Amino acid sequence: MSDAETPPDFDPVAPNTGEEFEPVDVFPDSDDFDLRPGADSCYKCSTCDTNCPVAEVDDDFPGPKFQGPEQWRLKQSDDDHEIDDSVMDCSNCMRCDNACPSGVPLSQMHNTARGEYVSEQMDKLSVEYIRNRILANYRTSAFLASKVPRLANFAMNFGPARWVMEKTMGITSERDFPAFAKQTFRDWWADRGGQAQSRENARAARRRRGLPEDADKKVAYFHGCYSNYNTPEVGKAMVRVYEEFGYEVVAPEQKCSGTPMFANGMLDDARRHAETNVSSMSELVDEGYHAIASCTSCSMALRQEYPELFDIDGIDKVAENTFEAVEYLRIHEDLKGEVQAADVDGDLAEEFAYHAPCHSRNQGLDRQAVELFRDLDGAEVEDVGDSCSGISGTYGWKEEKYEKSMEIGEEMFEHMEHAEGETGMTECPTCAMQMEHGSGYEIRHPLELLEAALVE
């Protein structure tokens, strides 16, 4: 037989194993989301670790790479492997998602691991668990406090009570609790006339602008907990600005976005809230509404964390139709042109020190306020850098993490001190707490400046 001839029983396509091939089931069937593609994409460059603000100040924290793909691989290969308790030191700032060059779903892995740790390993009678559960379910505490806001504001910042909370619950006494509003946003919304009044205001604005009175411009406002109970002025500004552009606003039934629950591993709680939010928002999306959030952590939850963590009917539809409030107007209106033609005076004729929240960076929104207000007469907005504020929702409220949160925020505080303005600006309510705590500045939301510039 010559060298050019092929053996008659040799098949160059299928290997001759001598028996029928059966693939090995490396990862058993599971109802969980398949994170293997993300884990396989990690090539251990450690970019996530070098961008992690917690790892920068805490030498004992192993970093996002370990908490994500490495721990996931260990869990898949060893049924007895327990989640390392350091996963509770992750602040859920999600900067690692933005930093990873390979698109590894790090925060999804962290949230999944944290949820498993809390569900299966954490002592439900421990002080840490009870403290975290209270912090994660801020909406419940705020709802109760809103019934007696004056009493709640006094009691929550009464020195001896704060000392007791720190010693018994581990809630730092270094911070002042945010004040509860005398009237919640939803109470104001109802007293004002709700959707019917908004429809009337929107139609009047369309007539002024020369638009068809029946133009299909309508949005569903996800105000979140903080704008409802603590800063209703942000919610009011959002409604008035949108009505000025001819949008009819509705404020549907809603619960917490779940952001503090994700950060504390309370995924069952988060799912219950998500089911309500997705149900109400998906029905409105079917009617032609878009979901609008004034808090960047809320928009991040609806857009990214919901579809990553839950399988709820309508969840992808809601995620695809959710926008941050200023972002939506930049897309659908000539917002920059309107701002350039406007001016602002009075209380908001200020120079602002602007901080972009980590969750706004994940959505590509970190420069929008600076760029938008650059040409607004009467106000100047200066970016105070790309560092994390350090508070990361409930992270900086924990006594054992307070000093770390302040160390993370030190760069931001220094930039604020050197900025021209002495009023801060940010879209995130807890970043606003940290900015005020570290600088003493009053903090405003971009929507408040838009209202001052555009709404008569």
Side-chain angles (χ1 to χ4, degrees), residues 53 95 175 355-358 386-393 404-413 426 428 430-435:
R95 292 174 77 93
R175 298 185 186 276
H355 167 73
C358 296
D386 62 359
S387 62
C388 177
S389 75
I391 192 169
S392 295
K404 295 185 181 71
S405 79
M406 294 301 290
E407 190 174 349
I408 292 170
E410 186 174 340
E411 181 178 341
M412 180 189 71
F413 301 144
T426 189
C428 173
T430 54
C431 288
M433 293 180 203
Q434 181 82 328
M435 294 169 76

Side-chain angles (χ1 to χ4, degrees), residues 414-434:
E414 290 178 357
H415 287 164
M416 291 183 70
E417 183 179 352
H418 292 102
E420 294 294 331
E422 294 187 359
T423 300
M425 176 180 285
T426 189
E427 296 92 342
C428 173
T430 54
C431 288
M433 293 180 203
Q434 181 82 328

Side-chain angles (χ1 to χ4, degrees), residues 221-233:
Y221 180 32
F222 190 89
H223 49 69
C225 305
Y226 205 78
S227 287
N228 185 40
Y229 296 112
N230 300 93
T231 56
E233 61 273 12

Side-chain angles (χ1 to χ4, degrees), residues 87-88 90 92 110-118 262-265:
V87 74
M88 299 303 294
C90 166
N92 201 39
H110 301 159
N111 281 328
T112 302
R114 192 160 42 241
E116 183 174 339
Y117 174 80
V118 170
F262 300 142
N264 287 281

Side-chain angles (χ1 to χ4, degrees), residues 283-316:
E283 290 179 4
L284 289 167
V285 169
D286 287 338
E287 296 174 19
Y289 289 82
H290 288 114
I292 306 299
S294 50
C295 168
T296 46
S297 293
C298 290
S299 60
M300 172 64 76
L302 270 65
R303 276 174 146 168
Q304 177 175 324
E305 290 170 302
Y306 278 17
E308 284 184 345
L309 297 171
F310 306 128
D311 185 13
I312 302 172
D313 186 41
I315 203 164
D316 291 328

